[in-house]
């Protein structure tokens, strides 16, 4: 493993404020944003969690928990909730964005408008959002560069994580990726705490591809299990899905070896094999007789990022003439062009080929 791809975090506190405690704004109070805010507060940071709906804020302030997404997990005293973005991000040391990919640009634009230019210069900004921008098909670091500037201090955080387990303090490992190794190290140090490990990376493209594509694969494995095709089929889908992830990553400038790390294989295995994954549950329920895409999404009650991701990847694959057969079947399935049974038959009917191709 080279020094420039994934380093075990061993960092001094030179990039942190005195005492190692930061004022951190977390933008997005869904399950994932709330879980990360709880963890950062547990570390000892002064955390400010932003939600756009005042009604949600009032409820969380009253109950001191996010009962909708993480019932029973109480907020630490050093976690405050607000819907006033301008006030919330004033005088912070760092900003973490955790909103769905389709509103990522909008939230960054609001963030930029809320912080004076002089204060914004040098401010570390990271995101734990996974996916592509639906309209532009851009990876999110490209969106961030367009909105905040190419010289902004940008990082992406990803890896095999479920919000509920992070909120409960269960052992977790993630990866922090940035073109600037010092920025990746900054976030690794911010998150480090007992059973929580953060590794560093410089391949932002690969990390973002892994985070987006694994949701597509989770739908595929959910469908396979919903059809009761067995453990062999699930293992085959995960293995071949990893090949597709590598293929797309390399086509967009990422490093193939990144897919063997936490943001690739790690996240892929987690999301494809556990029912805490809403994308896997979506695929499983879609495989049931008579199920329709919109009805299943409504039943799950949260954003199913894999549906958005597969539509973006389909366009990218067509533009680049990439062969991504599992993605194609998932796309046809969510667009109601085929049934789950037809998707399974189409994959099984493919001609044999060399495994490395």
């Amino acid at each position: 493993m080279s020094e420039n791809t994934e380093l075990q975090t061993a960092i001094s506190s030179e990039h942190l404020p005195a005492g190692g405690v930061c004022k951190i704004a977390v933008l997005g109070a869904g399950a994932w944003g709330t879980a990360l805010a709880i963890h950062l507060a547990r570390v000892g940071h002064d955390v400010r969690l932003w939600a756009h709906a005042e009604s949600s804020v009032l409820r969380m302030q009253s109950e001191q928990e996010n009962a909708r997404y993480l019932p029973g997990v109480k907020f630490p005293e050093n976690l405050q909730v607000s819907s006033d973005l301008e006030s919330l991000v004033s005088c912070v040391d760092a900003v973490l964005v955790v909103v769905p990919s389709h509103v990522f640009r909008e939230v960054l634009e609001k963030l930029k408008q809320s912080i004076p230019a002089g204060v914004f210069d040098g401010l570390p900004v990271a995101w734990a959002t996974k996916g592509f921008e639906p309209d532009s098909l851009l990876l999110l670091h490209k969106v961030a560069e367009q909105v905040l500037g190419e010289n902004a201090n940008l990082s992406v955080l990803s890896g095999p994580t479920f919000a509920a387990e992070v909120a409960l303090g269960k052992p977790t490992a993630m990866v922090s990726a940035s073109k600037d190794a010092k920025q990746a190290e900054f976030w690794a140090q911010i998150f480090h705490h007992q059973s929580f490990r953060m590794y560093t990376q410089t391949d932002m493209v690969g990390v973002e591809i892994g985070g987006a594509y694994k949701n597509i694969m989770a739908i595929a494995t959910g469908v396979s299990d919903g059809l009761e095709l067995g453990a062999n089929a699930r293992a085959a889908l995960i293995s071949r899905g990893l090949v597709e992830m590598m293929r797309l990553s390399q086509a967009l400038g990422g490093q193939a070896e990144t897919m063997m790390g936490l943001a690739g294989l790690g996240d892929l295995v987690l999301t494809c094999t556990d029912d805490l994954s809403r994308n896997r549950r979506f695929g499983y329920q879609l495989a049931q007789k008579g199920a329709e895409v919109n009805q299943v999404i409504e039943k799950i009650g949260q954003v199913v990022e894999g549906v958005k991701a597969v539509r973006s990847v389909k366009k990218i694959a067509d533009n680049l003439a990439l062969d991504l057969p599992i993605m194609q079947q998932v796309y046809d399935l969510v667009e109601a062009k085929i049934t789950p049974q037809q998707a399974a038959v189409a994959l099984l009917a493919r001609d044999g080929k060399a495994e490395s191709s």
Side-chain angles (χ1 to χ4, degrees):
M1 186 176 298
S2 69
E3 284 185 279
N4 292 328
T5 54
E6 184 168 326
L7 305 174
Q8 182 172 345
T9 305
I11 312 159
S12 71
S13 59
E14 61 179 302
H15 303 296
L16 301 178
V21 175
C22 285
K23 292 181 180 179
I24 304 173
V26 178
L27 310 186
W32 190 214
T34 303
L36 291 176
I38 290 171
H39 170 76
L40 289 168
R42 187 183 294 129
V43 173
H45 301 298
D46 177 5
V47 182
R48 307 170 183 187
L49 178 62
W50 174 77
H52 73 279
E54 179 66 18
S55 58
S56 297
V57 169
L58 292 175
R59 182 177 179 183
M60 284 188 281
Q61 288 174 338
S62 172
E63 299 175 344
Q64 282 302 291
E65 66 176 68
N66 190 333
R68 178 180 179 184
Y69 295 115
L70 297 170
V73 183
K74 294 297 180 182
F75 292 164
E77 291 183 359
N78 50 330
L79 194 166
Q80 305 298 320
V81 189
S82 175
S83 60
D84 185 345
L85 181 60
E86 186 172 352
S87 174
L88 183 139
V89 298
S90 64
C91 301
V92 295
D93 299 307
V95 176
L96 176 61
V97 182
V98 197
V99 298
S101 58
H102 64 279
V103 296
F104 184 72
R105 182 185 295 270
E106 177 185 348
V107 171
L108 287 187
E109 289 173 343
K110 290 180 179 178
L111 171 64
K112 187 174 183 180
Q113 295 168 3
S114 300
I115 300 179
V119 176
F120 190 81
D121 294 340
L123 181 70
V125 177
W127 54 94
T129 301
K130 298 177 180 179
F132 298 82
E133 184 174 49
D135 293 335
S136 69
L137 307 180
L138 291 174
L139 289 168
L140 298 185
H141 77 275
K142 289 296 186 182
V143 177
E145 288 175 355
Q146 286 185 357
V147 177
L148 305 180
E150 293 186 1
N151 294 324
N153 294 326
L154 305 176
S155 304
V156 56
L157 312 181
S158 191
T161 49
F162 286 137
E165 294 192 1
V166 170
L168 292 171
K170 293 188 176 183
T172 298
M174 291 183 66
V175 61
S176 167
S178 177
K179 294 179 181 178
D180 181 346
K182 289 184 178 180
Q183 287 299 311
E185 291 172 356
F186 171 84
W187 287 100
Q189 182 67 16
I190 288 291
F191 272 87
H192 181 74
H193 179 67
Q194 296 179 352
S195 59
F196 195 110
R197 298 292 299 277
M198 182 79 81
Y199 294 79
T200 59
Q201 256 278 12
T202 55
D203 180 17
M204 297 182 79
V205 172
V207 168
E208 289 188 317
I209 292 293
Y213 211 96
K214 58 94 180 183
N215 287 327
I216 299 172
M217 293 310 308
I219 295 175
T221 55
V223 169
S224 177
D225 287 345
L227 294 175
E228 299 182 349
L229 299 184
N232 292 350
R234 186 194 314 126
L237 282 171
I238 292 172
S239 300
R240 295 308 299 174
L242 181 61
V243 172
E244 292 190 15
M245 288 167 60
M246 288 181 174
R247 192 172 294 158
L248 179 61
S249 178
Q250 288 180 294
L252 295 180
Q255 301 169 9
E257 57 265 33
T258 299
M259 294 300 102
M260 301 307 297
L262 291 168
L265 180 61
D267 210 358
L268 179 65
V269 170
L270 178 78
T271 314
C272 290
T273 59
D274 196 287
D275 287 336
L276 283 176
S277 164
R278 72 188 72 138
N279 291 279
R280 173 182 159 77
R281 295 200 310 273
F282 169 81
Y284 188 93
Q285 293 176 29
L286 198 60
Q288 308 310 304
K289 185 176 182 180
E292 295 182 2
V293 170
N294 291 335
Q295 291 177 341
V296 175
I297 291 176
E298 185 177 351
K299 183 177 180 180
I300 289 175
Q302 297 183 52
V303 174
V304 180
E305 283 284 6
V307 174
K308 298 179 182 297
V310 76
R311 289 168 175 159
S312 296
V313 172
K314 166 63 175 172
K315 294 176 183 177
I316 294 170
D318 287 348
N319 291 340
L320 298 177
L322 291 177
D323 182 28
L324 304 173
I326 302 174
M327 178 281 299
Q328 180 66 56
Q329 297 306 314
V330 173
Y331 173 79
D332 288 343
L333 188 59
V334 301
E335 295 298 329
K337 295 182 178 181
I338 58 174
T339 66
Q341 292 79 7
Q342 289 171 329
V345 169
L347 288 172
L348 292 170
R350 284 174 55 84
D351 293 337
K353 59 191 297 188
E355 184 181 23
S356 59
S357 62

